[in-house]
């Protein structure tokens, strides 16, 4: 029996139970193929990239780094073997500040006899986060590659491959920003377009492709119109009404918090949305929340964030993009834009646990005028990674995570969804059985607005 067949033999050929957290043992959930196929593929691709770039790494870090490369490759191979053989989870072994928390979680998930959780049977959110934390551990326990991000080049490629699309959106914004007579009606009509550019940017997710760039070549603004039929829930009108009502309320401390997802093209669209809301005084400050470590291949770190703005401001082929990038540099120098990377975002907890586990972060978000959550993983964490009935209201699914007014922008890449109209899920699944998992459809949900 191969280790792959062992994994299959442990699983059940059924859909996951409704209103329960996802578990990979149910073969008709998205968790099972991610565990058995996509995660091993992504880990293997990480190793292949490291091997292919060996000479570049040695030039930068010195000949001593060769031992580190060998060690990292061995640890990645072990991780794949552990997954496919359903081996028990083990403690993390680095001196990083988060290790005590991870190992406490491991103890909490172990039974009274000390039997540790395994890949097939543990809650999927914990399992998937643990996979990516183990990938980072392979690097951080080395001597010279502790801070090496094996995905950085792919993330930057994902940006540069989309320069035609970024230029189109950039020209639209810069032309807009340079007008002296923008009417409120124009803003009311265009805010949903800018929001949806940020939403659909979430389709460009390297974790779905093993790091291969997804080129966005179409006009983002035209794309918004053509993709509208794929919006399964669209509460953007509520966002617009809320923003315009706020213009009449004197407040010099309107903080927008954006919980980021992917680097590359998606990050560019997020920056465009932030700039738009800043320029027209809907918000005064933007806090971007990224990841403290390389995470889920394409998630934004401070290195990605800084390199993205620097590239746009100084290395773009387009003078318009350079102008836009310099605006963004100025926001940071003035303190109007802030990048933060709290530890909570790379722990295996859902957002409903934030108030009890990281009250400082919850309190910070409570100061927010508006919170925008980007992407599929953040959405799953918002709703507890529970396989809800699709008609359960979003406001109910987010539970006790209520620090401030909330917007979720998400293209669907997992089984988890909620807030859909009666019968809509059944109608789509008849014609598109994999509709939940392929990033084709999208939702805009709000809570508290």
């Amino acid at each position: 029996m191969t280790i792959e067949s062992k994994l299959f033999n442990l699983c059940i050929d059924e859909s996951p139970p409704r209103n329960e957290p996802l578990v990979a043992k149910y073969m008709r959930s998205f968790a099972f193929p991610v565990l058995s196929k996509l995660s091993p593929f992504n880990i293997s691709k990480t190793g292949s990239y490291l091997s292919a770039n060996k000479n570049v790494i040695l030039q930068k870090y010195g000949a001593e780094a060769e031992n580190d490369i060998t060690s990292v490759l061995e640890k990645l191979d072990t991780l794949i073997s552990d997954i496919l053989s359903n081996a028990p989870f083990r403690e993390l072994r680095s001196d990083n500040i988060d290790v005590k928390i991870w190992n406490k979680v491991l103890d909490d998930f172990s039974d009274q006899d000390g039997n540790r959780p395994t890949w097939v049977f543990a809650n999927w959110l914990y399992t998937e986060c643990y996979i990516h934390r183990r990938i980072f551990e392979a690097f951080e326990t080395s001597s010279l590659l502790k801070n090496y991000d094996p995905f950085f080049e792919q993330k930057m490629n994902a940006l540069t491959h989309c320069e035609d699309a970024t230029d189109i959106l950039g020209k639209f914004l810069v032309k807009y920003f340079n007008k002296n007579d923008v009417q409120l009606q124009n803003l009311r009509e265009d805010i949903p377009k800018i929001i949806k550019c940020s939403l659909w940017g979430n389709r460009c997710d390297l974790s779905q492709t093993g790091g291969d760039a997804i080129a966005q070549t179409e006009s983002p603004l035209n794309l918004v119109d053509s993709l509208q039929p794929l919006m399964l829930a669209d509460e953007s009108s509520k966002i617009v009404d809320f923003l315009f009502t706020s213009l009449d309320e004197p407040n010099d401390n309107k903080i927008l918090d954006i919980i980021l997802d992917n680097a590359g093209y998606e990050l560019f669209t997020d920056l465009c949305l932030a700039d738009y809301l800043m320029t027209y005084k809907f918000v005064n400050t933007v806090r971007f929340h990224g990841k403290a470590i390389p995470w889920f291949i394409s998630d934004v770190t401070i290195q990605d964030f800084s390199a993205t703005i620097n590239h746009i401001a100084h290395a773009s082929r387009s003078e318009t993009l350079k102008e836009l990038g310099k605006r963004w540099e100025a926001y940071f120098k003035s303190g109007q834009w802030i990048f933060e990377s709290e530890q909570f975002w790379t722990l295996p907890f859902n957002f409903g646990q934030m108030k009890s586990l990281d009250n400082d972060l919850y309190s910070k978000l409570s100061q927010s005028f508006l919170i925008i959550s980007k992407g599929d993983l953040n959405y799953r964490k918002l709703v507890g990674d529970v396989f809800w009935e699709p008609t359960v209201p979003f406001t109910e699914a987010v539970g006790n995570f209520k620090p401030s007014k909330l917007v979720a922008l998400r293209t669907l890449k997992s089984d988890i969804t909620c807030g859909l109209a009666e019968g809509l899920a059944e109608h789509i699944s008849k014609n598109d059985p994999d509709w939940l998992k392929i990033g084709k459809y999208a939702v805009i949900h709000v809570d508290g607005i």
Side-chain angles (χ1 to χ4, degrees):
M1 179 188 296
T2 66
I3 56 175
E4 289 87 349
S5 63
K6 177 182 178 182
L7 198 64
F8 275 76
N9 289 339
L10 290 169
C11 296
I12 305 168
D13 188 15
E14 296 177 2
S15 297
R18 286 289 184 184
N19 304 321
E20 297 288 339
L22 284 183
V23 180
K25 71 177 180 180
Y26 297 101
M27 296 175 69
R28 298 184 193 178
S29 79
F30 99 107
F32 178 75
V34 174
L35 178 69
S36 61
K37 298 293 184 183
L38 184 59
S39 291
F41 171 73
N42 283 339
I43 298 165
S44 178
K45 286 271 286 187
T46 302
S48 297
Y49 178 82
L50 199 63
S51 297
N53 286 272
K54 177 180 176 180
N55 291 336
V56 175
I57 294 170
L58 295 181
Q59 287 175 3
K60 180 175 181 179
Y61 294 93
E64 296 84 357
E66 184 163 9
N67 290 334
D68 280 353
I69 293 173
T70 301
S71 173
V72 169
L73 292 174
E74 289 174 352
K75 290 169 183 174
L76 294 177
D77 286 343
T78 298
L79 176 56
I80 294 173
S81 177
D82 284 352
I83 292 171
L84 295 179
S85 62
N86 198 42
F89 291 6
R90 63 160 175 79
E91 290 186 341
L92 296 180
R93 296 167 179 162
S94 81
D95 57 2
N96 196 299
I97 190 172
D98 67 340
V99 165
K100 286 184 179 180
I101 299 173
W102 276 97
N103 290 343
K104 172 67 165 56
V105 173
L106 179 60
D107 288 341
D108 292 343
F109 273 90
S110 301
D111 65 22
Q112 59 185 6
D113 295 323
N115 296 310
R116 291 176 171 172
T118 59
W119 311 87
V120 167
F121 300 113
N123 282 1
W124 176 238
L125 179 62
Y126 171 38
T127 300
E128 192 172 21
C129 289
Y130 178 75
I131 290 171
H132 289 274
R133 187 58 185 80
R134 282 277 298 273
I135 294 173
F136 177 63
E137 184 199 55
F139 289 90
E140 69 170 338
T141 51
S142 67
S143 298
L144 298 171
L145 302 181
K146 290 180 180 292
N147 299 311
Y148 181 77
D149 183 351
F151 315 118
F152 175 71
E153 185 176 343
Q154 294 100 308
K155 287 183 277 189
M156 290 305 296
N157 286 341
L159 174 68
T160 57
H161 287 177
C162 297
E163 187 154 329
D164 288 345
T166 57
D167 189 39
I168 292 169
L169 183 55
K171 284 177 177 174
F172 172 81
L173 289 179
V174 168
K175 182 178 179 181
Y176 218 109
F177 295 158
N178 289 334
K179 288 182 179 180
N180 295 319
D181 59 345
V182 175
Q183 303 296 312
L184 289 181
Q185 184 58 34
N186 297 135
L187 296 178
R188 183 174 280 276
E189 291 172 357
D190 286 334
I191 286 175
K193 296 179 184 178
I194 306 302
I195 291 172
K196 289 172 185 176
C197 284
S198 175
L199 163 71
W200 289 111
N202 182 242
R203 295 194 305 172
C204 301
D205 184 346
L206 300 183
S207 68
Q208 305 294 305
T209 64
D212 294 334
I214 302 171
Q216 173 65 48
T217 57
E218 300 175 69
S219 163
L221 297 162
N222 292 341
L223 200 62
V224 162
D225 293 332
S226 66
L227 293 177
Q228 186 60 32
L230 303 179
M231 293 288 306
L232 304 185
D234 182 1
E235 297 188 284
S236 57
S237 62
K238 293 183 179 179
I239 305 170
V240 174
D241 290 342
F242 165 68
L243 290 172
F244 273 87
T245 299
S246 74
L247 288 176
D248 299 326
E249 302 169 358
N251 185 351
D252 294 329
N253 190 35
K254 291 193 289 187
I255 301 171
L256 170 64
D257 284 283
I258 303 180
I259 306 171
L260 297 169
D261 189 19
N262 297 303
Y265 176 73
E266 180 177 358
L267 176 58
F268 174 82
T269 62
D270 297 338
L271 296 168
C272 289
L273 174 59
D275 194 353
Y276 192 94
L277 296 178
M278 286 279 299
T279 298
Y280 296 107
K281 311 302 181 186
F282 293 106
V283 300
N284 312 108
T285 304
V286 183
R287 294 187 297 214
F288 298 91
H289 300 271
K291 305 304 191 296
I293 61 175
W295 192 246
F296 279 68
I297 297 183
S298 54
D299 281 25
V300 181
T301 66
I302 182 60
Q303 181 185 16
D304 305 321
F305 199 86
S306 300
T308 295
I309 293 179
N310 183 69
H311 175 86
I312 292 166
H314 302 286
S316 296
R317 297 192 305 270
S318 163
E319 291 302 316
T320 301
L321 289 178
K322 288 180 179 178
E323 179 180 346
L324 202 57
K326 289 179 171 63
R327 287 172 62 92
W328 298 345
E329 288 182 327
Y331 283 137
F332 272 95
K333 289 177 182 177
S334 69
Q336 293 172 285
W337 282 8
I338 304 162
F339 184 90
E340 300 184 344
S341 52
E342 297 90 348
Q343 188 180 87
F344 185 86
W345 310 119
T346 50
L347 291 170
F349 303 130
N350 64 60
F351 289 5
Q353 297 171 279
M354 184 188 294
K355 191 171 185 178
S356 61
L357 297 176
D358 192 341
N359 189 251
D360 288 346
L361 177 56
Y362 192 90
S363 297
K364 181 189 294 183
L365 295 177
S366 298
Q367 304 164 0
S368 185
F369 165 73
L370 180 67
I371 301 167
I372 298 178
S373 171
K374 290 297 309 292
D376 198 76
L377 179 60
N378 284 327
Y379 187 93
R380 288 168 52 198
K381 288 188 170 187
L382 276 171
V383 302
D385 209 36
V386 170
F387 188 49
W388 295 107
E389 291 285 353
T391 54
V392 169
F394 177 73
T395 55
E396 178 182 331
V398 297
N400 64 357
F401 182 73
K402 309 282 184 179
S404 188
K405 299 182 188 308
L406 173 68
V407 173
L409 306 180
R410 178 238 185 169
T411 59
L412 279 62
K413 302 169 191 167
S414 68
D415 294 323
I416 307 299
T417 194
C418 60
L420 302 188
E422 188 76 38
L424 180 59
E426 293 78 7
H427 173 73
I428 296 172
S429 63
K430 287 180 182 178
N431 299 316
D432 210 342
D434 292 328
W435 65 284
L436 282 168
K437 309 167 189 176
I438 54 179
K440 177 179 177 180
Y441 298 93
V443 295
I444 298 176
H445 288 310
V446 302
D447 183 33
I449 296 177

